[in-house]
Amino acid sequence: MIVGIDLGTTHSLVGVFRDGAPVLIPNALGDLLTPSAVSVDDHGHMLVGLAARERAGTHADRTALAFKRWMGSDKLIELAGRGYRAEELSALVLKALKADAEAFLGEPVTEAVITVPAYFNEAQRRATRSAGELAGFKVERLLNEPTAAGLAYGLQERPDHASFLVFDLGGGTFDVSVLEYFDGVVEVRASAGDTRLGGEDFTRVVAELFARACPELAAAGAEPLRDRWWAERGWWRMAEQGKRTLGEREEAALEMVWNGQTLAATLRRVDYDAACTELLQRLRRPIERALADAQIDPSGLAEVVLVGGATRMPAIRQLATRLFHRLPLRTVDPDLAIAQGAAVQAGLKARDAALDEVVLTDVMPYSLGIVTVEEIAGRRVGDRFSPIIERNTPVPVSRMQHYSTVAEAQRQILIDVRQGESPMASDNLRLGTLEIEVPAAPAGQVGVRVRFSYDANGLLEVDAQATDARGALGELRNLLLRTGGTEMDEAALKAARERLAGLKHHPRDEQENRWLIERAKRLYADHLGDERRVIQAWLAAFELALDSQEPRTVRAARSALREQLDSIDRGFRF
Ligand code: ADP
Ligand code: MG
C-alpha cells in the first residue's frame, strides 16, 4: 500500500487514495493533523505529536519542534543531552504516521509519496528521502507541495494551459508557486517565498499586543520571544488562541497566569489588523517574483488557491482578494490540501485507473551550474558562476554547454558543480567535482563539453568530455550526484538506522494517555495554589487507574481526566 504524506514544519498528515478519492487518516488521538514534534520522556521513551508538543514549554531541553528547517544541514538538535539530525527526528514523525496508517488500513504500509517545498535544494530533498527510509518506507517519490495542492484542487481536470497560483502560508514559512497544466502534465512554472514568515509571526503580534495591554508584563521587561520562557508561561498558547478568535470575532478576551497572578486583556480586531500591516506587506514581494518568473500577470491565472493553516485568517483572504482581483479558492480545507494531493499522487503511483492519464513534472527549484574563470578587460576573474540548468526549468531536463581553457598549455579542467543563485560561485552550494584531462594547447583551443541531466527525483548526472575544434577527445567522464555536501552517506544512514531502532517508543494505544498526562503537567506548571492541588489529585487518580491495567477502568479514567482538564483548559489542541 502506498500512502501520501505531507511532512510539514508545524503539522504532518498521511492519506491514501481509495475508491477514486483521497482519504486522510486520523492518528491515535483521532486528529488528522499530527504536530511535527518529538520529545524524550524521563525514561528515555520517545513521544511524537501532540504529547510531545505539550512538553515544549515544560521540557524545552527534551523537545524538538520545527526541525524541518534544518533538513539537509549538519546541525545536531539536542534532546536530553543527545544530538539528532533533522532527518532522524523527521523519521520519528514518519514512523508514527506509518503506524497510524497501518492501524487504519489493517495492512502493512511500505511505500510513500512525501511532499517537499518547491524550493528545497538537493541536500534537503535527499534528507527527506533519508528520513523516509529511516522510518522504513520505500520513498516512491518526492512531490512538490504546490503540485500536491494543485492535484487536491483537480488542476489536472482543467482545460489545457490553465495556470494556478498556490499561496501557502504555514506555521513558519510562506511559499508562492505558479503551476500550469498542459497536455496531461502539471508544471511548477515558478516558486518564490519567504522562509522566515508564517503564522507564528502573527501569533507573536497578538502576544505583543497583550503585553502592551498588561503593564505588569511590560514592567517586568517580559518579551514574547520564541524561547523557553514564553512557552512556559502559556503565553504562546494564549496568543495562538487569541489569533484564532480574532479571525472569527471583533474582540478576544485573553487571560494568562503569570507569576501567580491572572493577567487579562481584551484585544480588538482593528488593532490586531493594524499591527499586522507590516507582515501583510511582506507577503507581496514573493508573489510579485513568482508572477514575474512565470511571466504571467494576475489576470492570466485561472485560479488562486490558498493552502496552509494561516490562510484561515480573514486578513490573508482579503489581501489575496485585493492582489488578484478575485476570490481565492478555499473549498479544500487549507490544512489538508497538500496531504490530499499527496494521496492523489500515491493513487496515481499505485496505477489506479481513475488517475492514469496524469503525468507530473516539476521544476528545478535552484539553478545548477559550474565555477568558471572569465577574461574580462584583459584580466582573469575567477569565482564566476555559469548556470547550465536555470531555476524554474521543468524537469526532467538535459542541457549541454561548452567551456574552453583560459591558460596556455592547461592540462586540466576542474568541473566544480554548484547550486544556487549567486553570480559568485563560492556563495552557491558545492555538489561535487570532476577533473578532466585535456591535451596541452594554446589557451582557448581545447575545452570541455559538459552535460547536466536532472530527473524528478533530484538526481543530477554530470557528463563531461574534452573537446577541440574537430570534436570530442578522450573518454566521456560521468558523475552521479546523489550526495550533496551535507547529507548522510550510506554509513551514516546505517548508523542512524541502528540508533533509531534502539529507541523506545510508546505503543500507539497509549498515545492518548501520554497526551493527557503531559497536558496535565503543562496545566500544573501554568497554575498555582489550589488549582495545582486539584490537578495533582486528578493526575494521581488517573495514574492509579493506569496501574490497574484494567482496560475498562483505564477508559473511564481517561474520559474523566479529559473532561477535568477541558474544564480548565477549554480543550484547545494545538
Ligand atoms: P506547516 O505547513 O508549517 O506545517 P500548517 O499549514 O499546519 O503549517 O499551518 C500552521 C499555522 O496555521 C500555524 O501558525 C497556526 O497558528 C495557523 N492556523 C491554523 N488554524 C488557524 C486559524 N483558524 N486562524 C489563524 N491561524 C491558524
Ligand atoms: Mg505546509
Side-chain angles (χ1 to χ4, degrees), residues 6-13 33 36 68 145 168-173 198-201 203 236 240 243-245 247-248 272 307-314 334-335 338:
D6 170 6
L7 183 60
T9 311
T10 323
H11 298 115
S12 298
L13 300 91
L33 276 73
S36 304
K68 181 172 172 180
E145 289 169 5
D168 181 354
L169 191 63
T173 56
E200 279 163 28
D201 297 286
T203 308
W236 179 84
E240 180 70 30
K243 176 177 80 171
R244 293 179 190 214
T245 307
E248 287 158 14
Y272 171 63
V307 298
T311 62
R312 289 177 184 277
M313 286 186 287
D335 298 317
I338 290 172

Side-chain angles (χ1 to χ4, degrees), residues 366-369 385 387 389 391 418-423 427-429:
Y366 280 85
S367 302
L368 289 173
F385 180 58
I389 299 176
R391 184 182 77 224
R418 301 276 175 151
Q419 168 185 285
E421 308 309 320
S422 172
D427 290 344
N428 297 328
L429 180 70

Side-chain angles (χ1 to χ4, degrees), residues 204-344:
R204 185 193 299 246
V205 166
V206 174
E208 280 164 355
L209 287 176
F210 183 84
R212 235 174 282 155
C214 293
E216 295 93 333
L217 281 173
E223 266 185 66
L225 295 172
R226 273 183 218 163
D227 61 14
R228 201 184 154 152
W229 190 89
W230 101 280
E232 250 171 38
R233 305 293 154 164
W235 198 343
W236 179 84
R237 297 180 64 84
M238 177 205 66
E240 180 70 30
Q241 184 53 42
K243 176 177 80 171
R244 293 179 190 214
T245 307
L246 286 170
E248 287 158 14
R249 287 187 226 127
E250 292 306 313
E251 282 187 356
L254 302 183
E255 232 182 69
M256 79 170 181
V257 180
W258 187 77
N259 277 356
Q261 14 172 357
T262 302
L263 306 182
T266 298
L267 304 185
R268 296 186 310 157
R269 159 127 31 125
V270 279
D271 299 328
Y272 171 63
D273 284 350
C276 291
T277 319
E278 206 192 305
L279 291 177
L280 293 172
Q281 198 56 33
R282 280 173 62 196
L283 293 167
R284 287 167 177 263
R285 262 205 51 198
I287 295 172
E288 284 158 9
R289 198 184 124 191
L291 290 171
D293 275 3
Q295 296 171 319
I296 195 165
D297 64 77
S299 63
L301 295 169
E303 296 292 358
V304 173
V305 172
L306 298 190
V307 298
T311 62
R312 289 177 184 277
M313 286 186 287
I316 301 291
R317 295 206 297 272
Q318 283 153 16
L319 175 84
T321 308
R322 246 192 346 266
L323 287 178
F324 301 108
H325 312 294
R326 78 187 71 201
L327 283 176
L329 276 184
R330 235 178 48 108
T331 46
V332 178
D333 193 323
D335 298 317
L336 314 181
I338 290 172
Q340 289 195 3
V344 169

Side-chain angles (χ1 to χ4, degrees), residues 467-479:
T467 56
D468 66 8
R470 287 185 302 272
L473 304 164
E475 57 171 334
L476 180 73
R477 297 281 309 280
N478 180 279
L479 177 68

Side-chain angles (χ1 to χ4, degrees), residues 255-541:
E255 232 182 69
M256 79 170 181
V257 180
W258 187 77
N259 277 356
Q261 14 172 357
T262 302
L263 306 182
T266 298
L267 304 185
R268 296 186 310 157
R269 159 127 31 125
V270 279
D271 299 328
Y272 171 63
D273 284 350
C276 291
T277 319
E278 206 192 305
L279 291 177
L280 293 172
Q281 198 56 33
R282 280 173 62 196
L283 293 167
R284 287 167 177 263
R285 262 205 51 198
I287 295 172
E288 284 158 9
R289 198 184 124 191
L291 290 171
D293 275 3
Q295 296 171 319
I296 195 165
D297 64 77
S299 63
L301 295 169
E303 296 292 358
V304 173
V305 172
L306 298 190
V307 298
T311 62
R312 289 177 184 277
M313 286 186 287
I316 301 291
R317 295 206 297 272
Q318 283 153 16
L319 175 84
T321 308
R322 246 192 346 266
L323 287 178
F324 301 108
H325 312 294
R326 78 187 71 201
L327 283 176
L329 276 184
R330 235 178 48 108
T331 46
V332 178
D333 193 323
D335 298 317
L336 314 181
I338 290 172
Q340 289 195 3
V344 169
Q345 172 70 1
L348 172 70
K349 275 278 167 197
R351 293 266 169 260
D352 188 301
L355 282 160
D356 231 12
E357 278 109 72
V358 189
V359 185
L360 300 173
T361 61
D362 290 311
V363 294
M364 261 319 298
Y366 280 85
S367 302
L368 289 173
I370 65 170
V371 185
T372 59
V373 176
E374 255 174 79
E375 199 85 52
I376 300 173
R379 283 182 47 224
R380 247 184 247 160
V381 187
D383 198 23
R384 305 277 91 195
F385 180 58
S386 167
I388 294 179
I389 299 176
E390 300 240 56
R391 184 182 77 224
N392 288 330
T393 307
V395 293
V397 55
S398 185
R399 294 270 155 84
M400 190 164 73
Q401 264 187 43
H402 287 273
Y403 297 92
S404 42
T405 52
V406 282
E408 289 296 314
Q410 180 178 339
R411 295 301 313 269
Q412 267 169 351
I413 296 178
L414 179 71
I415 315 277
D416 181 347
V417 183
R418 301 276 175 151
Q419 168 185 285
E421 308 309 320
S422 172
M424 252 87 86
S426 52
D427 290 344
N428 297 328
L429 180 70
R430 169 181 274 160
L431 296 181
T433 58
L434 190 62
E435 262 185 31
I436 301 293
E437 306 276 335
V438 289
Q445 300 248 314
V446 290
V448 66
R449 196 153 72 188
V450 183
R451 175 180 288 282
F452 275 16
S453 308
Y454 186 89
D455 74 10
N457 289 316
L459 278 187
L460 174 68
E461 199 175 350
V462 179
D463 292 316
Q465 191 166 26
T467 56
D468 66 8
R470 287 185 302 272
L473 304 164
E475 57 171 334
L476 180 73
R477 297 281 309 280
N478 180 279
L479 177 68
L480 194 60
L481 291 173
R482 46 173 100 241
T483 51
T486 55
E487 69 207 39
M488 296 167 98
D489 56 22
E490 263 315 308
L493 262 177
K494 191 166 164 263
R497 216 171 269 135
E498 278 160 16
R499 262 204 308 278
L500 291 184
L503 288 178
K504 292 173 273 181
H505 292 270
H506 289 278
R508 216 183 83 91
D509 55 11
E510 257 182 31
Q511 297 290 326
E512 183 163 10
N513 303 344
R514 290 298 318 184
W515 170 55
L516 288 171
I517 291 171
E518 292 308 331
R519 195 172 161 215
K521 286 188 187 162
R522 190 250 307 157
L523 288 165
Y524 182 89
D526 280 356
H527 290 82
L528 290 174
D530 285 346
E531 279 159 324
R532 280 197 158 181
R533 272 188 286 281
V534 172
I535 296 170
Q536 197 146 46
W538 291 340
L539 202 50

